[in-house]
Amino acid sequence: MRKLNGEVDAGGSMTGRSRVGARGHSQDSAEARGHSQNKAGTNVNRVRSVVGSSELDGNIAGGPLISTRGMAAGPRRKVYLQADAGKLIKLERGVYISPEHRILTGEAGLRLAIAAAAVARGGAVVVGKSAATLHGLATGTKSWQQQEAEPAELGYATKPAKPESAVGPRRVQHRRIPQAEFDRFWPLKWEYGEVKVSLPGETCAQIARWHTLDEAVVAAEDALNRRMMTLGELETACTQRGLGSKQTRYALNLITLWSESPRESELKLLMWRAGLPAPFQQVKITRNDGVFLGRVDFYYPGGLIVEYDGQGKHRLAVFDQHGDYQGEESIRAERQRERQLINEGFVFVRVDQSSFRDGSGVAAIRRQLKSVQWAPRDVSSCVVKPAGKAWKAAGDPGYQRR
């Protein structure tokens, strides 16, 4: 059994490197942290994965979480009596916690519910979107209420003897996974015990097989942006059973190294579905005299710049060392950068939360793209250096045939 080094921050995100490798990739976007489900750390202590010579054979309760599995009859009866007296709260069959440690809402509550479901079924590995939650990965913009309504996903190498679906207050979805995938997990140790979680690459491949294309792309690009896996590891996980499903091949064509926030991933998915050509991402623009003008989210040849304005873009790091608010200065600097680029001939389309949701943002991109294709802007005063294309199209290296 292979075990991996790594750390998980208070919100659950892995920060360290696995032994299977990681890629050096920038992470500049404040929204990537604000949108990717990392903010519920007040109820969870700092966590790190278990590394040692002994194997983790099951999910183990720890700290205030109590499991009666393997407990002698006398102590187990005491637990039942405490539960009857209201001194313990039952989370799952045989899993209890004291009322003062019960987390009711938010990411921390969701993580605790998933862990309790895993502890109640000791041999399982947490997989799919439940594993993404424990890794701290974004899978989209669902509310916590919507996510809490989804079942906990637990993986088994063989079909469980009892296909439980609603033993505790949380529904459970049993998933059949290959034996090698079952044996190769990422052990997490936190204040509630030890839980076996599928590796980040395999987690994203599972989401591509079992859930929506959008959730797979968002989770995978979040993991790549945070250096939790490499593209090679993801491709291996997706193709270890052959070419995989049609949706998996779509996902591999869409997933790149360049999205720096989940909303960027979602915006490019909207552009792809709208039939737009693939733009370039993370494009550095420098004047011919060497003055750096900025780096933009998306760029189309002909002078069209597309940027996503997230709500949290100017909310982080807006106080100086004296505690004075600097958000206005951050916004002014952003607008100054935009004016400089416009003066050099570039055209801007900014997509915000409202225009993203109602489709007017993509419509504006389409209109401006037709305009610059018909009459390209003169941006010869600048050097444009993209990181890469937003997705692979037919004829591109690595393109997966549909």
Side-chain angles (χ1 to χ4, degrees):
M1 182 179 301
R2 185 170 51 174
K3 299 196 175 179
L4 307 176
N5 287 323
E7 289 197 351
V8 182
D9 66 16
S13 60
M14 295 285 180
T15 62
R17 285 178 175 265
S18 72
R19 290 181 185 170
V20 294
R23 174 186 57 79
H25 179 53
S26 63
Q27 182 185 358
D28 299 330
S29 171
E31 188 182 0
R33 293 182 291 275
H35 184 72
S36 65
Q37 310 174 357
N38 287 347
K39 292 187 175 180
T42 56
N43 294 301
V44 183
N45 291 337
R46 187 166 181 82
V47 184
R48 61 183 176 80
S49 62
V50 180
V51 179
S53 58
S54 62
E55 294 185 350
L56 179 61
D57 295 322
N59 300 300
I60 304 168
L65 197 65
I66 300 170
S67 172
T68 60
R69 181 165 49 88
M71 190 179 286
R76 185 166 62 247
R77 178 170 174 75
K78 289 181 180 180
V79 170
Y80 295 156
L81 290 174
Q82 286 183 309
D84 291 340
K87 295 179 180 180
L88 291 175
I89 296 174
K90 183 177 180 179
L91 298 179
E92 288 281 345
R93 176 182 292 170
V95 180
Y96 301 83
I97 196 167
S98 57
E100 61 267 23
H101 290 95
R102 174 69 186 271
I103 303 167
L104 298 177
T105 60
E107 181 182 6
L110 181 59
R111 287 165 52 82
L112 176 58
I114 293 169
V119 167
R121 302 154 185 84
V125 175
V126 181
V127 296
K129 287 201 292 184
S130 293
T133 297
L134 296 189
H135 283 307
L137 294 176
T139 55
T141 54
K142 288 183 178 180
S143 68
W144 289 116
Q145 290 78 9
Q146 291 173 307
Q147 293 185 55
E148 288 169 351
E150 295 177 344
E153 292 183 273
L154 301 179
Y156 298 84
T158 58
K159 187 177 180 180
K162 295 181 180 180
E164 302 165 307
S165 59
V167 173
R170 183 172 188 82
R171 292 183 300 119
V172 173
Q173 174 69 57
H174 295 291
R175 299 288 192 181
R176 182 80 175 269
I177 59 176
Q179 184 68 51
E181 205 169 301
F182 179 82
D183 292 336
R184 186 176 55 247
F185 58 84
W186 194 318
L188 297 184
K189 184 176 182 179
W190 63 329
E191 64 174 307
Y192 298 112
E194 302 176 18
V195 180
K196 301 189 295 185
V197 186
S198 60
L199 302 182
E202 290 170 351
T203 295
C204 295
Q206 291 160 0
I207 295 172
R209 290 197 298 269
W210 301 333
H211 298 288
T212 69
L213 180 65
D214 291 46
E215 289 168 327
V217 173
V218 170
E221 293 194 333
D222 193 20
L224 288 167
N225 181 47
R226 293 157 59 191
R227 296 181 295 175
M228 294 173 63
M229 66 179 186
T230 66
L231 265 178
E233 291 165 4
L234 175 65
E235 290 167 357
T236 298
C238 287
T239 59
Q240 61 187 350
R241 302 186 191 183
L243 287 177
S245 66
K246 182 177 181 180
Q247 178 166 283
T248 300
R249 296 196 294 275
Y250 272 124
L252 288 175
N253 288 334
L254 288 163
I255 294 166
T256 68
L257 305 173
W258 319 126
S259 294
E260 294 190 342
S261 76
R263 189 62 99 182
E264 279 185 34
S265 300
E266 292 178 323
L267 177 56
K268 83 170 191 178
L269 282 162
L270 281 183
M271 296 162 71
W272 172 73
R273 285 199 173 95
L276 298 175
F280 293 102
Q281 275 189 278
Q282 307 310 330
V283 179
K284 296 179 179 179
I285 301 177
T286 307
R287 266 196 342 224
N288 290 336
D289 60 7
V291 176
F292 178 68
L293 298 180
R295 187 183 60 170
V296 298
D297 296 339
F298 300 97
Y299 176 76
Y300 282 106
L304 175 59
I305 292 170
V306 178
E307 293 239 282
Y308 181 78
D309 277 342
Q311 287 184 326
K313 192 167 187 178
H314 302 288
R315 290 181 183 173
L316 299 179
V318 295
F319 292 91
D320 64 16
Q321 59 182 341
H322 305 295
D324 296 324
Y325 180 66
Q326 299 296 314
E328 301 293 344
E329 183 62 31
S330 174
I331 295 172
R332 280 196 294 271
E334 183 77 9
R335 295 299 177 253
Q336 175 64 22
R337 179 187 70 122
E338 181 176 328
R339 284 194 294 271
Q340 289 177 329
L341 289 166
I342 290 173
N343 289 339
E344 299 299 331
F346 293 93
V347 180
F348 262 83
V349 174
R350 287 194 175 275
V351 180
D352 58 18
Q353 186 180 70
S354 176
S355 59
F356 174 89
R357 288 179 174 174
D358 65 17
S360 60
V362 171
I365 295 170
R366 187 190 299 278
R367 287 194 303 271
Q368 292 294 347
L369 179 59
K370 287 182 179 179
S371 175
V372 299
Q373 287 175 335
W374 178 260
R377 295 300 186 99
D378 181 9
V379 293
S380 58
S381 60
C382 295
V383 175
V384 175
K385 187 177 180 181
K389 290 179 70 174
W391 60 80
K392 302 183 191 75
D396 290 337
Y399 176 76
Q400 297 281 333
R401 294 184 62 185
R402 301 171 187 174

